[in-house]
Amino acid sequence: MKTFQKLAVVFFSLLIFAGCEDDPILASCDDTTSEFQNLFQAMISSGHTDKVSYDTEVHAYTFSLSADKEICKIGYQSQHEVTDTPYLMELVDSSTNNIIYSDSHVFSSTETSYVIPTSTIQLQSGISYTVRRIQTDVASNFGNIIGRLAMQDSMSFPYADGIMTISSADFYQNGGPLTNGAIPYIDLIFK
């Protein structure tokens, strides 16, 4: 009987410790590194300039993935003048031109900050998607609509890291247009 009691104590202890593990869903949505961050840093390391520029309302890039993923966070950095003004963040299925995500979010003006999408964004491998950040609060100051980006005189698309490939970038509306002149810093975290 004592052996049975000892086994029962060991069994219940294991159950308690097993229940104390980190939530795998939260752990898998880590914004400290991403394919986009690695790609952007590789561009800077290879001679592109990390700067804040392009006074157009829409900053966008088109990308595809080599694996099915879900976007669990979106990262961006606001301009100081519009810190409390939401940015409209959209994700478009480029093959159908259907908007699959559209919502407004406020971001920090001192660093890239992250928001959790208000609805699930499932992405399929091999499909082209366009992520857009839209800021229309020009209010006589075109500095309100600039954003962080990687650029150089001669861009060479596509750019890739891990499962992500960026095939093009666009800057337009109330300025521009400029196609494939830079890549805007819009970070996507996948799980």
Side-chain angles (χ1 to χ4, degrees):
M1 188 67 148
K2 289 185 181 189
T3 304
F4 176 74
Q5 289 174 335
K6 289 179 184 178
L7 286 173
V9 169
V10 169
F11 175 75
F12 286 114
S13 297
L14 287 173
L15 283 178
I16 291 170
F17 287 117
C20 294
E21 291 181 26
D22 290 338
D23 185 343
I25 293 171
L26 295 176
S28 67
C29 194
D30 180 10
D31 59 41
T32 60
T33 187
S34 71
E35 282 83 3
F36 179 83
Q37 291 171 34
N38 293 339
L39 183 151
F40 193 90
Q41 191 54 49
M43 291 176 71
I44 301 310
S45 297
S46 70
H48 292 73
T49 303
D50 183 348
K51 67 186 295 182
V52 177
S53 187
Y54 287 155
D55 54 355
T56 59
E57 293 177 354
V58 179
H59 290 197
Y61 64 81
T62 299
F63 68 97
S64 61
L65 302 175
S66 61
D68 293 353
K69 289 292 179 178
E70 178 182 332
I71 295 176
C72 59
K73 290 184 184 176
I74 301 168
Y76 195 70
Q77 182 174 346
S78 171
Q79 292 305 299
H80 293 287
E81 296 80 6
V82 290
T83 298
D84 297 324
T85 304
Y87 286 80
L88 179 61
M89 305 303 283
E90 291 186 337
L91 192 74
V92 179
D93 180 329
S94 301
S95 63
T96 63
N97 215 26
N98 287 334
I99 296 173
I100 59 175
Y101 181 79
S102 180
D103 207 348
S104 296
H105 300 283
V106 174
F107 297 93
S108 169
S109 64
T110 58
E111 64 185 358
T112 301
S113 60
Y114 292 84
V115 296
I116 297 171
T118 55
S119 62
T120 302
I121 308 171
Q122 295 288 343
L123 305 179
Q124 296 176 359
S125 67
I127 302 291
S128 286
Y129 298 95
T130 300
V131 61
R132 303 189 285 222
R133 84 83 174 124
I134 304 168
Q135 178 55 268
T136 59
D137 188 5
V138 176
S140 76
N141 182 358
F142 282 91
N144 291 353
I145 57 176
I146 60 178
R148 184 178 177 197
L149 47 89
M151 65 178 294
Q152 71 178 17
D153 290 338
S154 179
M155 299 288 287
S156 182
F157 285 87
Y159 292 91
D161 187 80
I163 63 165
M164 181 181 217
T165 299
I166 297 178
S167 57
S168 66
D170 291 295
F171 300 82
Y172 58 94
Q173 198 164 303
N174 207 0
L178 176 69
T179 299
N180 294 337
I183 293 180
Y185 197 101
I186 306 168
D187 194 8
L188 302 174
I189 307 298
F190 307 120
K191 68 174 184 176

